[in-house]
Amino acid sequence: MRIGLYPGTFDPITLGHIDIIRRACLLVDRLVIGVAINRDKGPLFSLEERVAMVEAESITLARETDTEIVVHPFDNLLIDCARDVNAQVIVRGLRAIADFEYEYQMVGMNRVLDASVETVFLMADAHYQAIASKLVKEIARLGGNVSNFVTVPVNEALLEKYGSREK
């Protein structure tokens, strides 16, 4: 069984993340979506909220791709998480050159820690390359419309967090 791990904070999960998940499902039999606790980033949504959002968005994707999707919170090294879930491959989404530079360093470190775990990069679809959770939160916080960047349930969760500011 080919097991992949797609890690992230998913604060919140965006259409860009969903695009990467959908395409990663075509490469593996089981995709583990690792939701990083990452207290250093000071997430807007609690771990439980982020896990619930990712699980809800994954149901349709699992059915559409005939892939088992498991959501797995983690608070350890990414390579240790990959070992914990028996992943042979780590899936990473790329939007721009800046993403690649950071990810390139991470791959190098992870290869030293465990050369048996491969990393695969998937470029975000052109429609989603500008989407970043940080920017989505900023737009929502300032009362902007983020419905082009997230699903309806995630948009509603953002409106609940920030309050509806529609004019």
Side-chain angles (χ1 to χ4, degrees):
M1 176 179 273
R2 292 169 302 171
I3 302 172
L5 170 63
Y6 178 41
T9 307
F10 304 103
D11 185 42
I13 187 169
T14 68
L15 295 177
H17 293 127
I18 292 169
D19 174 58
I20 297 296
I21 293 167
R22 179 178 286 112
R23 292 190 293 123
C25 285
L26 302 175
L27 304 175
V28 297
D29 303 302
R30 175 188 296 152
L31 182 65
V32 178
I33 303 174
V35 180
I37 292 171
N38 209 341
R39 291 176 191 89
D40 294 339
K41 283 191 175 182
L44 172 66
F45 293 96
S46 70
L47 176 64
E48 294 76 19
E49 290 170 319
R50 290 182 285 129
V51 166
M53 281 190 278
V54 172
E55 286 175 339
E57 299 299 334
S58 299
I59 293 168
T60 303
L61 294 171
R63 194 170 38 246
E64 286 175 359
T65 61
D66 195 30
T67 304
E68 179 185 0
I69 298 178
V70 177
V71 179
H72 176 79
F74 74 101
D75 191 19
N76 55 347
L77 288 174
L78 176 57
I79 202 71
D80 289 336
C81 179
R83 288 182 195 132
D84 291 345
V85 300
N86 297 314
Q88 297 92 11
V89 64
I90 296 170
V91 176
R92 299 296 291 164
L94 293 177
R95 293 174 304 213
I97 297 296
D99 286 348
F100 179 77
E101 291 174 7
Y102 171 76
E103 295 295 339
Y104 182 79
Q105 291 177 322
M106 291 293 295
V107 169
M109 299 299 281
N110 286 336
R111 299 243 349 129
V112 170
L113 295 171
D114 188 339
S116 71
V117 180
E118 196 60 64
T119 300
V120 173
F121 296 111
L122 296 177
M123 289 298 299
D125 183 272
H127 290 87
Y128 307 118
Q129 286 184 358
I131 301 174
S133 293
K134 180 179 179 179
L135 296 176
V136 168
K137 289 185 290 191
E138 185 72 5
I139 293 167
R141 184 180 66 79
L142 295 172
N145 181 353
V146 296
S147 62
N148 289 322
F149 311 125
V150 296
T151 62
V152 170
V154 173
N155 190 30
E156 290 171 357
L158 284 162
L159 288 172
E160 187 176 310
K161 285 286 185 184
Y162 290 122
S164 179
R165 296 184 182 185
E166 301 213 8
K167 296 161 176 88

